[in-house]
Amino acid sequence: KLQLYGTGISQPTRAVQWLCEIAQIPYDFVQVNVAAARKKRADYIKNVNPNGRIPAIKDTNGLVIYEAAAILQYLCHRYAKTDLYPTDLKARAKIDEYLHWHHENTRMVTPAYVGMLMRVDVPFERWIKGTDVLKRRKALLYTLDIIETKRLGKQAYIAGDALSIADILCYEELVQLDVWNLLDEGTTLGFDGDGSRFMKRNYPNIYAWLLRMRGLSKHDEVHEVMVREMILKHVQYRQAAFTKALQKHHAKL
Amino acid sequence: PSQPTRAVIFLCELKGIAYELVKVSPALPRSKRKDYIENVNPTGKIPSLQDVDEALYLYEAPAIMTYIATKYKLHDLYPSADRDLKRRALIDQYLHWHHENTRKVTTGFIAPLLRADVKLEAWNPSSLQTERKLATYSLNIIEKQWLSAHRYIIDNDVSLADILCYEELIQMKRWNLIENAAEKYPNIFQWMQRMEQLPNHDKAHRIMARLDAFITKRMQQCQPLLSKL
C-alpha cells in the first residue's frame, strides 16, 4: 500500500490524505512529528525524505515524492484521476497556475496565524519578528480578496468550473479560518461556529465554496482532528495569548 | 531583473520558441498597473503569459514553463506522464519546492538590494535573517544531496527544474552575494558552468548586464543594513 508520512494538523498532509480518500487510493498513514528534534526523526530523514519535511509518500514501486502539490499531481496520473486533474492543456494550466500560486499566497494563512498556535516550542516574540506576522496578515487579506472576487466570484471552483486538486490544496488552508475563526474574535469554534459566520458575512463566495467542499466524500473523517475538543481549547488559549503578546510588542515599539 | 521572468525567457531562447516581451514593472504603484492587474494577473506580479491563439492568460513562472513544455512537446525537459511518470513527478517536486526554498536566495539576499523604492528602514533584519537561513538550508540540499549525486538537479539531464533554479543561483555567482560561495558550493558552481554551455545561454542572460552597476551601488548603500545581519 502507499505510505503517507505526515500528521493531521499539517495542512498539506491533509490535502494528500483527502485526495487518497476521495479517489479511494489505499494507503497507510505514518505519523511523523515535525516539531520533534531532527534526532527523533532520524529514521524518516534517512529512509524517506532527506529534507525532513512532511508530507511525503512512498509508493508501492518504491518512489518517494514530497511537496503536497507534486504528490497530488503524481497520484492523479498514477491512478488516472483525470476528473480532478484533466489532461486538457488549458484546464490543466489553470490548475497548475493555482498550485504554484498557493505557495506564496494562500499558504500565508499558516505562517500568519497557525504557526504560532501550534508550535509551542517557538516563543511568540520569534514568530512576530522572524516571520513578519503583521505583514503576512496584511498580504493574506489581498489573497482572500483575489480568491473571493477573481476566482470564486467567476467560477464554482478555485481553478475553473469543476472540482480539482487545486480546491483540495486550497481548502486545507482556508478551512482553518473557518473552524478556528482566525480572522476574528469569538468563542464558538468548530464547523458552523463564529468563524463560519464571519466567513459568510465577509467572504460569501468563499463561504459557499467551503460548504461545497464539506459535502465531498470523507470530509468529516479527514478533518475531525481539527475540531477535537482538546484542539479547539488549545487554539482558543493560544489565540488569546498571542494577541496579548502582539499588544505588548506594539507597546514596546 | 525578475528571476522567474528570466526562467521563462531562458526556456524560450533555449528551445527557439518565439515570444514577445511586454515590460511590466512591479515596483510601480498599483494605480499605474491597473490594466495589468484587472486583465492579466490580479496579484500584479510578473511574469505572466498571454497565449493569443488560445485566448489564455497564465501566471506563475513554473506553470508557464510546464504549459510551454506541454504545448511544444518539450519531452526532454518535462516528459509527459505516459513517457516517464517518475521523472515528471520529480521535476514537479522541484518546481514546487523552489517557492519556499531556493527562492529564499532572492528574498534573503537580493530583494533589499533591488527594491530601491522601499526604504532601508522598512526592511526587518530579523525576517531577513530567517530568509537567509532558509536560503542556506536550500543551498545545502542542492549542493550536498542533489548535485553531488548527479549532473543536474533531478538527474543527469537538464530539465525545467534546472532552468527555474538557475535564475536564482546565477545571482550568487554574478553579483558575489555570498562570501566564498565558490568554495562553499563547488558542485553548484560546476553545475552553473554546465548551464552556461546550453544553447543561447548568453543571449538569454544579456539582460543581467544592465543590472551590474546598479547592484554594486546598492550593495554599498545597503551596507549598514547588511552588516546588522
Side-chain angles (χ1 to χ4, degrees):
Chain A
K1 272 203 251 177
L2 187 80
Q3 305 293 295
L4 167 58
Y5 299 88
T7 191
I9 286 298
S10 148
Q11 309 77 9
T13 302
R14 284 197 305 263
V16 177
Q17 185 183 13
W18 201 12
L19 175 65
C20 288
E21 291 289 345
I22 291 173
Q24 296 179 302
I25 299 168
Y27 68 99
D28 282 326
F29 194 103
V30 182
Q31 277 288 339
V32 178
N33 179 9
V34 278
R38 281 181 89 82
K39 270 190 271 169
K40 287 201 171 164
R41 290 178 287 141
D43 209 29
Y44 178 69
I45 290 168
K46 190 161 169 243
N47 299 319
V48 184
N49 182 359
N51 294 6
R53 302 239 186 95
I54 51 164
I57 56 157
K58 192 180 227 177
D59 202 352
T60 50
N61 55 19
L63 180 63
V64 172
I65 304 281
Y66 49 89
E67 285 299 321
I71 297 172
L72 298 177
Q73 290 169 301
Y74 170 76
L75 289 177
C76 283
H77 284 131
R78 181 97 158 85
Y79 292 90
K81 296 301 296 173
T82 51
D83 51 336
L84 294 175
Y85 193 41
T87 51
D88 170 72
L89 182 63
K90 272 171 85 169
R92 172 163 291 213
K94 282 295 175 183
I95 294 169
D96 286 344
E97 175 189 84
Y98 179 78
L99 295 179
H100 285 286
W101 189 81
H102 180 89
H103 291 277
E104 289 169 81
N105 293 277
T106 320
R107 185 80 178 121
M108 207 61 60
V109 174
T110 290
Y113 288 97
V114 181
M116 60 288 291
L117 297 181
M118 297 304 162
R119 292 295 297 265
V120 296
D121 54 319
V122 179
F124 284 147
E125 199 53 25
R126 229 206 294 161
W127 274 109
I128 296 169
K129 284 199 181 141
T131 58
D132 243 336
V133 165
L134 298 172
K135 219 166 134 191
R136 283 170 196 257
R137 290 184 178 196
K138 212 175 149 201
L140 178 61
L141 295 178
Y142 273 121
T143 299
L144 291 176
D145 261 336
I146 289 172
I147 296 175
E148 173 73 12
T149 56
K150 297 292 170 120
R151 286 186 179 274
L152 298 175
K154 300 191 173 164
Q155 58 211 17
Y157 293 94
I158 290 288
D161 293 313
L163 178 73
S164 74
I165 50 180
D167 298 276
I168 296 174
L169 190 66
C170 182
Y171 185 77
E172 299 309 338
E173 290 293 334
L174 298 191
V175 69
Q176 301 175 118
L177 301 179
D178 178 3
V179 301
W180 293 338
N181 193 20
L182 299 176
L183 298 175
D184 191 31
E185 283 162 29
T187 54
T188 314
L189 303 186
F191 289 107
D192 299 317
D194 292 331
S196 303
R197 284 186 271 280
F198 179 87
M199 293 306 284
K200 187 174 181 185
R201 254 193 340 264
N202 296 283
Y203 298 100
N205 293 331
I206 295 179
Y207 177 72
W209 171 79
L210 287 169
L211 292 185
R212 255 175 256 137
M213 296 300 286
R214 279 194 213 168
L216 297 178
S217 171
K218 301 288 179 172
H219 169 275
D220 294 350
E221 288 87 334
V222 173
H223 299 90
E224 170 274 324
V225 57
M226 296 179 75
V227 294
R228 282 181 203 163
E229 194 179 333
M230 190 191 81
I231 294 287
L232 294 185
K233 281 209 163 86
H234 175 83
V235 167
Q236 222 165 338
Y237 166 73
R238 294 284 290 180
Q239 274 276 64
F242 188 74
T243 305
K244 276 213 187 101
L246 258 184
Q247 285 166 350
K248 256 174 95 179
H249 177 81
H250 280 315
K252 266 198 247 169
L253 294 176
Chain B
S2 152
Q3 307 75 18
T5 304
R6 286 202 307 268
V8 179
I9 291 174
F10 191 13
L11 173 63
C12 291
E13 292 290 347
L14 182 66
K15 287 296 186 176
I17 294 164
Y19 67 95
E20 192 189 311
L21 187 67
V22 180
K23 262 188 106 172
V24 178
S25 174
L28 289 176
R30 285 177 86 85
S31 50
K32 296 219 161 142
R33 289 176 289 141
K34 257 183 94 178
D35 208 25
Y36 181 75
I37 290 171
E38 272 303 305
N39 300 318
V40 184
N41 182 347
T43 331
K45 298 230 178 106
I46 51 167
S48 296
L49 177 82
Q50 182 189 7
D51 187 337
V52 184
D53 300 331
E54 301 283 343
L56 175 72
Y57 283 108
L58 198 58
Y59 48 90
E60 289 301 318
I64 296 173
M65 292 165 76
T66 53
Y67 173 77
I68 292 173
T70 305
K71 180 170 178 171
Y72 293 93
K73 302 186 184 355
L74 309 176
H75 294 297
D76 54 333
L77 296 178
Y78 188 56
S80 65
D82 321 310
R83 277 167 203 249
D84 194 340
L85 178 56
K86 176 182 169 178
R87 184 166 206 255
R88 184 192 179 92
L90 292 173
I91 295 169
D92 282 331
Q93 177 182 278
Y94 178 79
L95 297 181
H96 285 289
W97 187 84
H98 180 90
H99 292 275
E100 295 171 75
N101 293 279
T102 319
R103 190 91 179 103
K104 300 297 175 183
V105 169
T106 288
T107 54
F109 292 96
I110 293 270
L113 303 180
L114 281 183
R115 297 296 296 267
D117 60 311
V118 181
K119 288 208 181 73
L120 219 54
E121 301 79 60
W123 293 101
N124 172 2
S126 205
S127 72
L128 272 185
Q129 263 162 352
T130 308
E131 304 287 276
R132 286 181 170 217
K133 245 175 116 184
L134 284 166
T136 306
Y137 164 84
S138 310
L139 289 169
N140 282 333
I141 289 177
I142 297 170
E143 171 73 18
K144 295 181 188 158
Q145 282 179 29
W146 298 335
L147 295 177
S148 62
H150 27 76
R151 292 163 52 79
Y152 294 94
I153 295 284
I154 301 299
D155 50 28
N156 288 317
D157 295 297
V158 189
S159 72
L160 291 186
D162 300 274
I163 298 171
L164 187 65
C165 184
Y166 184 72
E167 299 308 331
E168 294 289 330
L169 302 194
I170 178 87
Q171 301 175 118
M172 214 175 41
K173 178 177 177 180
R174 186 167 187 123
W175 296 319
N176 206 19
L177 303 173
I178 297 173
E179 259 183 68
N180 303 318
E183 285 84 54
K184 282 189 204 160
Y185 308 112
N187 294 330
I188 292 179
F189 273 70
Q190 275 172 31
W191 165 78
M192 287 197 281
Q193 276 180 338
R194 271 172 230 135
M195 294 299 286
E196 281 164 26
Q197 303 310 310
L198 292 176
N200 290 323
H201 167 278
D202 293 352
K203 181 177 177 220
H205 294 90
R206 231 174 262 154
I207 199 166
M208 293 183 81
R210 282 188 233 161
L211 283 173
D212 291 342
F214 175 71
I215 295 275
T216 312
K217 186 176 93 179
R218 285 291 292 166
M219 277 182 87
Q220 282 165 3
Q221 281 176 341
C222 295
Q223 256 314 108
L225 168 69
L226 297 177
S227 59
K228 277 195 222 158
L229 298 177

